[in-house]
């Protein structure tokens, strides 16, 4: 169990104290331009609460790390608005897997403030863009293992996380969500087999990159999840016990 850093009442205050109306999040989720496929998982993913907790605001430049097909990229684009932007970032193996989904989401310039980026994780440290926030949702377990047979090459996780750190402005939030594994699990095995990760390992590795761990939320916790089965089982799809971890660049 992760130690609670912020009492619930303080967390609630922080989540609403940065001049972003709660309506901007609910309005993003209710946007009629969203697909039925995306809407089907909203109840289980709770994106309005997630974006509020991670302090996403209109006008921000946001890096969506390992964004996959762009579920969150689209929602973020509605929140940041015309004055903001979202970078839908995947590495090459991820992009090959989700290419059609990304193409459909961005076709006909339907999200003009979303910019796709395909680059190696290690190359982020060399880029010049700066962001006001970064989200890494349901993908951090993938940085702990390699599966060369299926095209997933090993990632230098320290360089990758340092690259994210370098791309963020001072004070920026780095928000991470992933499915929990048992404490002390071997992430090289669990990451590949179950697509889970020990949350304490995430905290250790992200703070080692320079971030401060400032709190967590519990609205995606599932006490009945035994933490030992694949996230891709039908009964587990977006129903796993998930950690919502907030870090900040000091």
């Amino acid at each position: 169990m992760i130690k609670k850093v912020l009492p619930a009442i303080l967390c609630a205050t922080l989540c609403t104290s940065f001049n972003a109306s709660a309506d901007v999040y609910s309005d993003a989720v209710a946007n009629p331009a969203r697909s039925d496929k995306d809407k089907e998982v909203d109840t289980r993913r709770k994106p309005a609460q997630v974006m509020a907790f991670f302090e996403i605001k209109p006008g921000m430049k946001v890096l969506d790390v390992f964004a996959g097909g762009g579920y969150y990229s689209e929602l973020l684009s509605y929140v940041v608005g015309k004055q903001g932007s979202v970078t839908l970032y995947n590495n090459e193996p991820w992009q090959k897997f989700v290419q059609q989904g990304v193409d459909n989401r961005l076709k006909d310039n339907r999200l003009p403030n979303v910019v796709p980026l395909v680059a190696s994780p290690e190359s982020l440290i060399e880029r010049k863009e700066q962001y006001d926030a970064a989200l890494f949702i349901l993908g951090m377990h993938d940085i702990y293992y390699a599966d060369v047979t299926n095209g997933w090459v090993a990632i230098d996780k320290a360089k990758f996380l340092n690259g994210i750190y370098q791309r963020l402005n001072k004070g920026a939030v780095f928000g991470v969500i992933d499915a929990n594994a048992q404490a002390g699990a071997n992430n090289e095995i669990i990451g590949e087999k179950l697509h889970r990760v020990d949350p304490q390992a995430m905290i250790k590795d992200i703070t080692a990159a320079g971030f401060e761990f400032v709190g967590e939320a519990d609205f995606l916790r599932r006490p009945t999840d035994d933490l030992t089965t694949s996230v891709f089982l039908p009964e587990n799809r977006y129903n796993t016990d998930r950690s919502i971890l907030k870090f900040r660049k000091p």
Side-chain angles (χ1 to χ4, degrees):
M1 182 67 68
I2 302 172
K3 181 180 179 181
K4 293 290 183 182
V5 176
L6 296 176
I9 188 169
L10 177 57
C11 174
T13 300
L14 288 175
C15 290
T16 58
S17 64
F18 47 87
N19 300 319
S21 167
D23 289 341
V24 74
Y25 308 113
S26 58
D27 287 350
V29 174
N31 193 306
R34 299 182 66 222
S35 70
D36 290 339
K37 181 180 179 181
D38 281 358
K39 294 175 184 177
E40 286 174 1
V41 297
D42 287 343
T43 301
R44 286 170 283 167
R45 301 193 71 169
K46 303 185 186 301
Q49 290 173 261
V50 167
M51 291 185 292
F53 183 68
F54 291 148
E55 304 177 22
I56 305 303
K57 295 184 284 187
M60 275 187 165
K61 293 181 64 177
V62 182
L63 177 63
D64 191 3
V65 181
F66 285 10
Y71 169 91
Y72 263 102
S73 294
E74 179 162 343
L75 288 164
L76 291 165
S77 77
Y78 299 142
V79 174
V80 302
K82 293 180 180 179
Q83 301 305 312
S85 65
V86 178
T87 296
L88 190 165
Y89 164 60
N90 287 312
N91 63 348
E92 188 173 342
W94 242 123
Q95 188 69 15
K96 286 180 178 179
F97 184 69
V98 299
Q99 184 71 62
Q100 188 61 56
V102 172
D103 289 346
N104 289 340
R105 193 176 298 278
L106 301 183
K107 68 181 178 181
D108 300 325
N109 200 35
R110 63 180 295 273
L111 299 174
N113 62 348
V114 175
V115 180
L117 171 66
V118 180
S120 72
E122 295 82 0
S123 71
L124 289 185
I125 200 168
E126 301 165 359
R127 300 187 69 85
K128 303 300 182 184
E129 302 92 340
Q130 293 298 124
Y131 298 93
D132 303 307
L135 272 57
F136 197 174
I137 298 179
L138 299 179
M140 189 161 167
H141 63 273
D142 287 323
I143 75 175
Y144 289 94
Y145 69 92
D147 183 7
V148 178
T149 301
N150 290 307
W152 191 260
V153 298
I155 292 172
D156 183 335
K157 65 177 181 288
K159 190 172 184 179
F160 183 25
L161 294 172
N162 189 249
I164 296 172
Y165 182 89
Q166 295 298 331
R167 299 282 60 79
L168 291 179
N169 294 319
K170 183 177 180 180
V173 166
F174 180 31
V176 179
I177 298 176
D178 217 331
N180 291 331
Q182 292 180 318
N186 184 330
N187 292 306
E188 293 183 9
I189 296 175
I190 297 300
E192 180 181 2
K193 300 296 184 183
L194 304 181
H195 296 271
R196 297 175 180 264
V197 61
D198 178 357
Q200 291 295 344
M202 292 193 290
I203 294 172
K204 178 181 177 182
D205 291 334
I206 293 171
T207 55
F211 290 99
E212 295 178 349
F213 178 42
V214 296
E216 65 174 317
D218 61 5
F219 52 82
L220 293 179
R221 300 304 302 267
R222 297 289 188 274
T224 56
D225 181 4
D226 70 5
L227 314 181
T228 65
T229 54
S230 170
V231 303
F232 294 122
L233 291 177
E235 62 270 25
N236 283 347
R237 191 67 173 172
Y238 300 120
N239 282 320
T240 50
D241 185 57
R242 285 158 283 169
S243 289
I244 308 172
L245 308 176
K246 184 193 291 188
F247 303 84
R248 196 180 303 277
K249 181 175 179 176

